[in-house]
Amino acid sequence: MTRIPRSGAWLVVVPVVFVLIWSTGFIVARYGMPHSPPFSFLLMRYLLSMACFLVWIFWAKVPWPKNPNQWRHLMVTGIFMHAGYLGGVWVAVKAGMGSGLTSLIVGFQPVLTAIWLSYSLRGSDQPGVSRRQWLGLWLGFAGLLMVVWRKLTLGSPMDHVTPFNMVFALGGMLSITIGTLYQKRFVTPCDVRSANLVQLMAAFVVTLPLALAESEGMHWNAELTGAMAWSVFGLTVGGSSLFYMLIQRGAAASVTSLMYMVPPTTAILAWLLFDETITAATLVGTALTALGVSLVVRPSRL
């Protein structure tokens, strides 16, 4: 194999850039939602992203999934990991939930995934849920409750929690959890570009009737155009490409650990851009959640 110069520095910098890009997804929702209904925005995002991937696929002569089962499994993951996850996040933000809190709720997903996988391995030669993992689960839940409770009682009009937006935020978290578990179980390795296109096609079909049912129109201006452009090129195309390169370079563990920095990164960005409040309770709650997640997902010592 050809040696890549400065590969160590590359593996340090690119995961950080990836997390920064991923964190902006919640910020983009705050920029775009005042000017567009959520499902219409997502429908346009899927359409433009599909066009980009289609050009990339034909230009690079990327192979397509090989059999109908692979197509079907990719479509299911697309429905959960794009339509369900993004739909829940966008509706929650549109309904007034702050970007930082939405990110924190969705960021609890790795804990649910780890617990489910541990339970599914019971009866096999693999260990179940350890005491350390249970401690992490409860610490993460306590941290999340601390942040949510503050916003239930003290949240501003631009950053408040209601049963409506909480249901959609939790729905987004559950959707990406189910999609992740389904992908681990059924999706066989294939090129990420063609796989992304198939997933986006399924998300587009599911989102189309929801967008048509929305009465609010899209009011194009600089903020909405910028949010759309970054959603397509920065998040869907750029973020997916970086993730693909990191996995190919063997940095999956680095990406996994840095993903748990998304909620605090989003909270800082939301504070800088939207003046979303950061209090001591928010900081402590975020730290507890990050600690809890790390305890759950950290591999056990052999």
Side-chain angles (χ1 to χ4, degrees):
M1 295 179 63
T2 303
R3 186 180 181 88
I4 300 175
R6 300 177 182 177
S7 59
W10 189 90
L11 291 176
V12 170
V13 173
V14 174
V16 176
V17 175
F18 171 73
V19 171
L20 288 173
I21 290 176
W22 197 262
S23 301
T24 62
F26 303 92
I27 303 301
V28 163
R30 279 294 299 269
Y31 269 115
M33 286 306 87
H35 314 291
S36 171
F39 295 114
S40 296
F41 183 96
L42 291 174
L43 190 73
M44 183 63 67
R45 170 178 171 173
Y46 299 149
L47 183 62
L48 295 175
S49 298
M50 286 190 294
C52 292
F53 275 115
L54 195 60
V55 171
W56 195 0
I57 287 168
F58 281 104
W59 176 74
K61 296 181 174 61
V62 171
W64 292 90
K66 296 180 179 179
N67 56 68
N69 281 337
Q70 199 171 30
W71 279 75
R72 185 173 64 252
H73 292 319
L74 285 170
M75 288 179 179
V76 173
T77 59
I79 291 171
F80 282 109
M81 300 184 73
H82 287 282
Y85 163 60
L86 291 176
V89 169
W90 255 244
V91 172
V93 173
K94 178 71 173 180
M97 182 176 286
S99 304
L101 177 58
T102 309
S103 172
L104 184 62
I105 293 173
V106 175
F108 204 64
Q109 172 263 334
V111 175
L112 298 182
T113 302
I115 294 297
W116 175 263
L117 290 175
S118 297
Y119 266 117
S120 67
L121 294 173
R122 287 191 305 175
S124 67
D125 57 351
Q126 300 295 324
V129 182
S130 67
R131 284 182 290 183
R132 188 201 70 216
Q133 287 177 313
W134 279 118
L135 175 62
L137 178 64
W138 287 112
L139 282 176
F141 179 77
L144 180 61
L145 185 62
M146 183 179 296
V147 177
V148 172
W149 184 258
R150 185 196 70 81
K151 292 180 180 292
L152 279 170
T153 56
L154 301 175
S156 68
M158 293 299 295
D159 185 13
H160 66 283
V161 176
T162 66
F164 180 80
N165 57 29
M166 178 60 75
V167 165
F168 275 94
L170 292 174
M173 178 189 65
L174 291 175
S175 186
I176 194 173
T177 302
I178 295 171
T180 301
L181 293 170
Y182 189 94
Q183 180 168 306
K184 285 178 178 291
R185 174 67 177 84
F186 294 107
V187 175
T188 56
C190 55
D191 191 279
V192 71
R193 292 162 289 189
S194 56
N196 257 316
L197 180 57
V198 175
Q199 291 176 339
L200 289 167
M201 289 166 56
F204 180 89
V205 172
V206 171
T207 306
L208 178 60
L210 298 174
L212 293 175
E214 291 175 327
S215 58
E216 180 186 352
M218 298 182 69
H219 306 288
W220 290 98
N221 54 24
E223 286 191 353
L224 182 58
T225 302
M228 182 64 70
W230 183 251
S231 293
V232 173
F233 295 104
L235 293 167
T236 304
V237 178
S240 297
S241 301
L242 281 177
F243 184 76
Y244 172 74
M245 289 189 293
L246 287 166
I247 296 300
Q248 292 301 306
R249 301 294 184 184
S254 178
V255 177
T256 301
S257 62
L258 284 171
M259 280 295 290
Y260 306 120
M261 292 306 297
V262 169
T265 303
T266 303
I268 293 172
L269 291 174
W271 170 64
L272 291 172
L273 296 172
F274 304 118
D275 199 27
E276 290 187 10
T277 305
I278 295 183
T279 64
T282 303
L283 294 175
V284 173
T286 301
L288 280 177
T289 300
L291 175 61
V293 171
S294 68
L295 289 175
V296 172
V297 302
R298 189 180 64 200
S300 300
R301 294 181 180 178
L302 298 177

